[in-house]
Amino acid sequence: MIQRIQTLYLLIVVIAMSLTLFLPSMKAISPEEIDYALSTLRGLYPIEEGGFHLNGVTMWLTITNVVILLIAFFTIITYKWRVIQMRFSSFNMVLLIGYYAIFFFTRYVILQQTPMTSTTFSWPIILPFISAILTYLALRAIAKDEALVRSLDRLR
C-alpha cells in the first residue's frame, strides 16, 4: 500500500487540503482599517480578535473541503480495489475544481455583504490546484497498475 506512488500522491493531497482547511486563503482590509482573514474552517474573521465567524456562505466551502479530504483518505485505504480508486480520484478532481468555484462565489458574496477596500490572496489558495494535479498523477498511476494486473491475468 505505502510503497505505491499513488499512495504518496494522495497522502500529500490529504495534507495539503488539511492545511487549506485551517490556514487563511484571503486577507482583506475594511474601510475602518480592520484586517480580516478568510479561512475555510473559521470563515471571515478579524485577525486581531480571532474566533469563529462561520456563516452560511463559508459553510459550503468547509463541507467541500472535508468531503475532498475524506475521499482522498478513502482512496488511500481502498488500495485493493483499483477501479473504485479511479472513480473516487476522478470525482475528487471534479470536487477540487468545484472548490475554486465555491471559493470565488464565497468571496463575491462576502464582498457584497461587507465592503472591503482591498483583498489579497494568501499562498494556501494554490493548494487545491496542487492537489488536483497530484490526484491526476495518482489516477494515472492507478490506471497503470490496473493495466498491468489485467495484462498479467491475460497470460494465465
Side-chain angles (χ1 to χ4, degrees), residues 15-47:
I15 292 169
M17 292 310 290
S18 297
L19 288 174
T20 304
L21 191 62
F22 294 107
L23 296 176
S25 299
M26 184 183 83
K27 295 182 180 174
I29 300 173
S30 69
E32 296 85 26
E33 298 297 321
I34 300 173
D35 292 333
Y36 287 92
L38 176 66
S39 174
T40 302
L41 185 62
R42 296 173 69 184
L44 185 70
Y45 62 95
I47 293 176

Side-chain angles (χ1 to χ4, degrees), residues 19 43-44 50 62 69 73 84 111 119 129 136 144 151 154:
L19 288 174
L44 185 70
T62 304
L69 274 167
F73 184 73
I84 293 174
L111 290 178
T119 60
F129 180 71
Y136 174 72
K144 187 177 175 184
S151 71
R154 241 181 296 146

Side-chain angles (χ1 to χ4, degrees), residues 56-83:
V57 179
T58 56
M59 177 186 67
W60 292 109
L61 203 58
T62 304
I63 289 171
T64 305
N65 197 335
V66 169
V67 168
I68 290 169
L69 274 167
L70 291 175
I71 288 175
F73 184 73
F74 185 73
T75 305
I76 291 172
I77 62 174
T78 57
Y79 61 93
K80 289 186 179 182
W81 302 299
R82 288 171 297 280
V83 175

Side-chain angles (χ1 to χ4, degrees), residues 101-155:
I102 294 170
F103 179 80
F104 286 113
F105 177 74
T106 302
R107 179 181 178 269
Y108 173 76
V109 169
I110 286 175
L111 290 178
Q112 293 296 321
Q113 292 174 354
T114 56
M116 299 289 177
T117 56
S118 69
T119 60
T120 57
F121 295 110
S122 301
W123 66 270
I125 194 68
I126 64 167
L127 291 176
F129 180 71
I130 293 170
S131 297
I133 292 171
L134 290 172
T135 304
Y136 174 72
L137 292 174
L139 179 66
R140 285 186 48 193
I142 294 166
K144 187 177 175 184
D145 280 356
E146 180 65 18
L148 178 67
V149 168
R150 287 184 186 235
S151 71
L152 290 176
D153 283 344
R154 241 181 296 146
L155 293 175

